[in-house]
Amino acid sequence: VILCFFLRLPCRKSSPTMIALGLALGIAADATTQPPQEGRSVPLRSSTLVAPPQWEVVSVAATPVIDQADALPHGILQGFETGNYMRHNGTYYYAATELGFCKDIRWDSTTRAGLWMANNSTGPWQRVTTLRNTQSMSTVCNNPAGKDNQNTMAWATTLLFAPSGINGSAPVWNLFYSAGEAGRFQPGDGIVHAVSTTASIAGPYVDLAGTAVPGTGVVVPDSHAFAAWQLRNGSWVGFRNNVPGAKSFSVGLIAATADGGAAVGGTWRYGNNNSVPFQFGPENPQVSASTSGELFFAVYDALTQPPNSPTAGVPRSTKGMPEEMATGSPKETSDGLCTDKTRCDSIGIAWSADGVTWTANASATLRVQLGENHPCGQIRTALGIVPEPELCRGCYSVLWTGFSSQSSPMKGSPGFEPVCQAVIRNTNE
């Protein structure tokens, strides 16, 4: 298996022994570490009802934690958008989609995947390495770094420490990203998969042959977003976007199929009617288990969030929720996309008891830029939610990007996109 991996032999592709067709979407989760059998319903870890989360903001970094001064030495002119924020063995990581590598071109036409790290969510953050260069760097910016790459882009950069399905059950670092190996919604468009050839999160990473579209690396067709998390039974599920038949901003539940769902390699399956009804135009959700393991939390870009009142300190509230939260109507707001740099201050936040069942009533917005301080301007992508039990009971750190008031040399740019930070607390933990 090791030789197959490093020599890229055909045995690395899907086979009955490598890609099992288990894991039915909608299966309940339990506390065991064994993958579920096909169609077997398993109980929740606890029969005790868990109180829905009630969120409050504990602290907000007054300035971005990754700013222009941090990005420009690495040739990043536009900033950051999408990716995943996590903590592993005490160290914080941001697998970033970095934007803009030459002036006077469209702001989102060149991308690169990079890895950043810090000893605290507030920083200082340091860039570790480049995970993926892209063809766009060469074709648009004449940068030879991306000349021989098959991928034209690198969006939705995501790192997972999990079994890959090609190397037995040992966890390895897996890289997923939207590569643009074909035109939008053409065969070969979607999320591809790579694995680290070392024990290090820094790689280097080698792309694997995909199983969904022959001749490509695609494992989630037509999706330009990706997130994944492990259920209590040891299997992996995730989110995609561009749900078939759904409106513009959509989220769909997908499931790993390798080794009965216990490994993250191979094709991820999207079943019928698995659209997730998050409110406020959801985009790029990221998921983590709660500190107690009793809930799963998702944070996401709430594109159609109601702009907070310019005269009120917080947006509208709902009975039973703190003032910083607003659920509103499941329908998109009459304003459409929220584009104000002083009024679009919220991230989307949702919760699930089993990591599979996500409902509109269990999603809301949480204002994380308070008062007159808008360090990331118009909030864009929420990057992740990380348990912080050392800070306080029920505490989590969150990172997000946004179109700030800082200028960018990119054509049509709404503003440089830094990374901002807050600590929030679930008072019901």
Side-chain angles (χ1 to χ4, degrees):
V1 172
I2 295 175
L3 287 175
C4 288
F5 166 65
F6 285 105
L7 298 179
R8 307 191 73 177
L9 295 176
C11 60
R12 198 191 53 226
K13 298 182 179 180
S14 61
S15 69
T17 59
M18 295 172 64
I19 306 297
L21 297 178
L23 189 59
L25 290 169
I27 194 167
D30 67 6
T32 69
T33 57
Q34 298 301 315
Q37 298 175 5
E38 179 93 9
R40 180 173 66 91
S41 179
V42 291
L44 291 175
R45 182 175 60 176
S46 172
S47 60
T48 305
L49 292 177
V50 180
Q54 299 284 327
W55 295 103
E56 65 180 13
V57 177
V58 176
S59 64
V60 183
T63 59
V65 294
I66 307 179
D67 213 342
Q68 276 184 311
D70 306 300
L72 289 176
H74 303 287
I76 304 167
L77 303 181
Q78 173 59 28
F80 309 88
E81 196 171 309
T82 74
N84 78 310
Y85 161 60
M86 61 184 168
R87 188 181 186 186
H88 183 75
N89 291 339
T91 300
Y92 296 81
Y93 294 99
Y94 170 36
T97 296
E98 303 166 339
L99 305 178
F101 297 97
C102 54
K103 298 180 180 180
D104 300 321
I105 61 169
R106 180 176 165 81
W107 64 274
D108 59 354
S109 60
T110 56
T111 59
R112 182 180 67 193
L115 178 65
W116 294 68
M117 67 175 289
N119 292 323
N120 191 291
S121 64
T122 56
W125 285 84
Q126 297 180 333
R127 194 176 189 277
V128 179
T129 190
T130 296
L131 297 172
R132 274 295 174 271
N133 288 310
T134 66
Q135 277 188 31
S136 65
M137 299 172 63
S138 174
T139 57
V140 178
C141 295
N142 296 317
N143 185 332
K147 182 178 180 180
D148 298 324
N149 288 55
Q150 184 175 350
N151 56 297
T152 62
M153 64 180 75
W155 285 98
T157 310
T158 302
L159 288 172
L160 300 176
F161 189 65
S164 67
I166 64 167
N167 62 332
S169 59
V172 295
W173 283 106
N174 298 264
L175 170 65
F176 294 86
Y177 62 103
S178 176
E181 293 184 355
R184 188 174 178 85
F185 302 134
Q186 300 299 312
D189 181 31
I191 302 297
V192 302
H193 176 213
V195 294
S196 177
T197 59
T198 71
S200 172
I201 189 175
Y205 288 82
V206 58
D207 286 345
L208 302 182
T211 55
V213 182
T216 75
V218 172
V219 294
V220 186
D222 299 330
S223 182
H224 304 137
F226 181 84
W229 59 98
Q230 191 175 33
L231 300 177
R232 299 184 192 108
N233 58 21
S235 61
W236 288 81
V237 295
F239 285 145
R240 59 164 291 172
N241 71 351
N242 300 329
V243 173
K247 59 183 181 180
S248 297
F249 310 119
S250 60
V251 176
L253 189 70
I254 56 177
T257 60
D259 294 345
V264 299
T267 300
W268 288 63
R269 190 181 68 224
Y270 173 77
N272 294 328
N273 301 317
N274 282 321
S275 183
V276 176
F278 288 155
Q279 300 187 63
F280 308 109
E283 193 172 60
N284 297 298
Q286 292 289 335
V287 176
S288 294
S290 66
T291 303
S292 66
E294 294 176 308
L295 295 174
F296 294 84
F297 298 134
V299 291
Y300 60 92
D301 181 4
L303 290 169
T304 61
Q305 62 182 272
N308 48 279
S309 168
T311 58
V314 293
R316 62 188 181 188
S317 62
T318 333
K319 183 178 180 181
M321 293 188 177
E323 289 186 317
E324 289 84 359
M325 297 189 71
T327 55
S329 167
K331 298 179 181 179
E332 294 182 5
T333 67
S334 59
D335 298 309
L337 299 182
C338 193
T339 59
D340 194 308
K341 293 185 180 181
T342 62
R343 298 179 63 196
C344 304
D345 289 324
S346 299
I347 60 173
I349 191 163
W351 66 275
S352 169
D354 59 8
V356 172
T357 306
W358 301 86
T359 66
N361 290 336
S363 64
T365 58
L366 175 65
R367 187 176 177 188
V368 290
Q369 295 185 156
L370 305 178
E372 298 301 318
N373 191 31
H374 314 277
C376 270
Q378 173 200 335
I379 289 183
R380 286 287 293 162
T381 47
L383 302 173
I385 178 169
V386 169
E388 299 281 3
E390 302 90 345
L391 297 181
C392 66
R393 184 180 179 90
C395 273
Y396 299 81
S397 58
V398 291
L399 296 187
W400 66 91
T401 69
F403 293 128
S404 72
S405 57
Q406 302 175 59
S407 62
S408 164
M410 310 301 294
K411 186 178 296 184
S413 171
F416 181 81
E417 297 176 79
V419 176
C420 295
Q421 182 268 0
V423 173
I424 61 177
R425 178 173 175 253
N426 174 19
T427 60
N428 277 345
E429 280 193 34

